[in-house]
Amino acid sequence: MTTISLTSLRDNLPSLVRRAQQGERIAITVRGKTVAELGPNRTQNARDAALQRLAAQRGRVIAGDVLAPMTDAWNADADHL
């Protein structure tokens, strides 16, 4: 992680924001103490997050069991006596 002073941040903000957009994390210091970080936005929209979770499950889950219609009628009373 790159470390810069607050003064340097003020002087170079546009270039530092571009670096953060590319994935770099930048620590901002005041009198040598880190007070904040500048970095990429890690939030995803709900659709992208769901697609990423589904892709992670590929090859480990059989979706046909859940999506296939049931051929037998289900009767809660008869099945749980």
Side-chain angles (χ1 to χ4, degrees), residues 3-76:
T3 302
I4 61 163
S5 68
L6 184 59
T7 304
S8 180
L9 174 71
R10 285 188 208 126
D11 296 340
N12 302 302
L13 185 59
S15 65
L16 292 168
V17 169
R18 279 192 295 278
R19 288 168 55 182
Q21 284 176 322
Q22 295 172 354
E24 186 175 350
R25 296 201 59 78
I26 302 164
I28 302 162
T29 62
V30 173
R31 296 187 184 106
K33 183 177 179 182
T34 301
V35 295
E37 290 183 6
L38 179 64
N41 184 359
R42 298 284 186 209
T43 60
Q44 298 177 330
N45 65 33
R47 180 181 180 274
D48 290 342
L51 289 173
Q52 189 174 23
R53 287 191 304 272
L54 286 172
Q57 295 298 322
R58 182 169 283 144
R60 293 192 266 169
V61 176
I62 300 172
D65 293 345
V66 176
L67 301 177
M70 294 178 58
T71 56
D72 299 330
W74 182 72
N75 184 341

